[in-house]
């Protein structure tokens, strides 16, 4: 792909995400505003619509990648975007349920360039608000008159169980030594924690486009592989991302001793740099110098190159799945533009 082609797809993805927000945000905000007062206050803050004191804010509720996948998958199969808005909102609510809980589990101090909800309102309120968003997502699908709504609800429930399994595995990794987690285990965890929801988003788009089982399964496969590519890039950003863009401190994942995909690839490389990295991971890594040395060790051990190559490979697999659902890929331009976006983003 030429630089011009990549730039064009980047503009297409940005336009698609903006259209998605225009279509989805009013319904998303209406759903959040239906929550009881204290829960609504935490959720409105988390989405960037209010400050901690309840006054209006102009923050963006997120990139809208997952709801965009719902609408784009449905559109590729001939579905009308307005018929799938409920599914798109439900997926975004589930995504934010995971974010609220992840921030507590990881003790992340910032998200979207401001303090995380748990640091402002406390751990109990953040967790309970996340639970409420999950219940709200299922209620929206239960109330939707679309014939596929019940199947979509069941699929989303199964996805959440898989997400929880992935999160549990991720937490369990942190209690194991730096050389005790295999790359296969890490890939399985990332597929469950990230790929499952992107796959579910694409599958729900297909369901709301009245697609058959084979197309739904293929769309799920596309989303899962794209999700793993997304996670690989996300892990790279967690190490080398610019705090001005990410809203998180430099090397935040290294400071937290996270066994992300590039880190595990480096730790299992059998190189001298892997030994250096393992030594650092057994320490505290609470100074900029230590974090910089850890990032350098990941790179010297090949973790950065492995993740970048892996992201490209996963996107190739994703396109193969997509071609089973949409033989004429020209009809899936929005999905392909989103795929290009998630593998070239920097924050």
């Amino acid at each position: 792909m030429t630089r011009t082609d990549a730039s064009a797809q980047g503009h297409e993805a940005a336009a698609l995400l903006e259209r998605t927000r225009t279509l989805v945000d009013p319904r998303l905000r209406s759903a959040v505003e239906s929550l009881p007062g204290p829960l609504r206050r935490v959720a409105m803050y988390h989405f960037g619509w209010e400050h901690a004191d309840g006054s209006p804010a102009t923050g963006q509720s997120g990139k809208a990648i997952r709801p965009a996948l719902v609408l784009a998958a449905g559109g590729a199969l001939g579905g009308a975007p307005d018929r799938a808005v409920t599914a798109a909102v439900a997926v975004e609510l589930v995504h934010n349920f995971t974010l609220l809980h992840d921030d507590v589990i990881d003790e992340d101090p910032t998200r979207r360039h401001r303090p995380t909800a748990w640091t402002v309102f406390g751990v109990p309120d953040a967790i309970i608000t996340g639970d409420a968003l999950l219940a709200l997502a299922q209620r929206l699908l239960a109330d939707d008159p679309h014939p596929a709504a019940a199947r979509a609800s069941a699929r989303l429930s199964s996805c959440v169980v898989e997400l929880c399994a992935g999160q549990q595995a991720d937490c369990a990794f942190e209690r194991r030594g730096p050389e005790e987690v295999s790359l296969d285990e890490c890939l399985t965890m990332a597929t469950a924690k990230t790929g499952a929801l992107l796959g579910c988003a694409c599958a729900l788009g297909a369901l709301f486009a009245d697609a058959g089982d084979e197309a739904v399964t293929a769309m799920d496969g596309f989303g899962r592989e794209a999700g793993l590519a997304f996670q690989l890039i996300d892990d790279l950003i967690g190490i080398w991302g610019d705090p001005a863009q990410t809203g998180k401190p430099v090397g935040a994942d290294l400071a937290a001793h996270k066994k992300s995909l590039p880190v595990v690839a480096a730790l299992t490389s059998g190189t001298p740099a892997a030994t250096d990295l393992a030594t650092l991971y057994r320490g505290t890594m609470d100074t900029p110098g230590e974090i910089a040395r850890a990032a350098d060790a990941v790179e010297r051990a090949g973790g950065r190159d492995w993740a970048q190559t892996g992201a490209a490979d996963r996107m190739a697999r994703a396109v193969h799945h997509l071609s089973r659902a949409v033989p004429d890929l020209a009809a899936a331009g929005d999905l392909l533009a989103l795929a290009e976006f998630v593998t070239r983003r920097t924050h």
Side-chain angles (χ1 to χ4, degrees):
M1 178 179 291
T2 67
R3 185 184 298 267
T4 302
D5 290 338
S7 177
Q9 284 203 316
H11 288 307
E12 288 175 24
L16 174 61
L17 293 171
E18 187 57 38
R19 291 198 304 272
T20 298
R21 281 190 288 267
T22 299
L23 195 60
V24 170
D25 274 7
R27 290 280 300 279
L28 178 64
R29 183 161 184 158
S30 176
V32 170
E33 288 176 342
S34 73
L35 292 171
L39 297 177
R40 180 174 64 245
R41 182 181 175 190
V42 178
M44 293 291 283
Y45 172 85
H46 167 75
F47 277 103
W49 296 323
E50 288 184 358
H51 295 294
D53 62 4
S55 60
T58 57
Q60 198 172 84
S61 59
K63 297 182 183 69
I65 290 170
R66 290 155 189 82
L69 285 171
V70 175
L71 302 184
L77 293 165
D82 59 330
R83 295 188 72 203
V85 171
T86 297
V89 171
V91 166
E92 188 68 351
L93 287 169
V94 168
H95 174 53
N96 281 275
F97 141 74
T98 69
L99 295 183
L100 281 162
H101 284 203
D102 283 359
D103 286 343
V104 171
I105 292 168
D106 296 338
E107 298 183 344
D108 281 337
T110 58
R111 179 171 293 281
R112 296 168 185 159
H113 305 281
R114 62 179 187 164
T116 43
W118 74 270
T119 66
V120 176
F121 300 99
V123 168
D125 279 2
I127 292 174
I128 293 167
T129 301
D131 295 341
L133 295 184
L134 174 58
L136 191 56
Q138 290 292 10
R139 190 184 77 188
L140 288 176
L141 287 175
D143 289 343
D144 194 275
H146 193 286
R151 290 164 62 203
S153 178
R155 197 171 194 108
L156 188 60
S157 294
S158 296
C159 172
V160 170
V161 172
E162 190 174 356
L163 283 172
C164 291
Q167 179 64 65
Q168 190 279 330
D170 193 21
C171 292
F173 290 171
E174 304 313 305
R175 297 191 294 271
R176 291 159 64 178
E179 296 158 314
E180 296 175 357
V181 176
S182 73
L183 197 48
D184 283 345
E185 284 181 297
C186 200
L187 286 165
T188 299
M189 176 276 293
T191 300
K193 187 176 175 181
T194 302
L197 188 56
L198 270 70
C200 185
C202 295
L204 262 58
L207 284 170
F208 275 73
D210 302 312
D213 290 344
E214 186 175 346
V216 172
T217 300
M219 281 295 188
D220 183 84
F222 168 81
R224 281 175 177 271
E225 294 291 354
L228 199 46
F230 181 98
Q231 187 61 58
L232 284 159
I233 298 301
D234 201 59
D235 286 349
L236 290 171
I237 292 169
I239 298 174
W240 290 283
D242 180 356
Q245 292 184 304
T246 65
K248 293 187 176 185
V250 64
D253 285 358
L254 296 174
H257 292 71
K258 287 190 71 66
K259 295 182 181 69
S260 61
L261 287 162
V263 166
V264 173
L267 286 168
T268 57
S269 66
T271 63
T275 303
D276 295 343
L277 182 61
T279 300
L280 286 163
Y281 255 63
R282 292 191 188 97
T284 56
M285 270 200 298
D286 54 5
T287 70
E290 288 169 328
I291 292 169
R293 287 198 296 275
D296 178 65
V298 174
E299 184 152 19
R300 286 188 290 115
R304 187 172 192 168
D305 287 343
W306 176 87
Q308 290 171 333
T309 301
D313 175 63
R314 293 294 172 169
M315 279 315 311
R317 298 187 195 192
V319 172
H320 174 71
H321 283 291
L322 179 60
S323 67
R324 290 167 44 221
V326 189
D328 180 7
L329 290 177
D334 284 350
L335 274 177
L336 293 172
L338 284 170
E340 178 69 17
F341 172 79
V342 301
T343 54
R344 292 183 179 270
R345 65 198 177 92
T346 57
H347 63 285

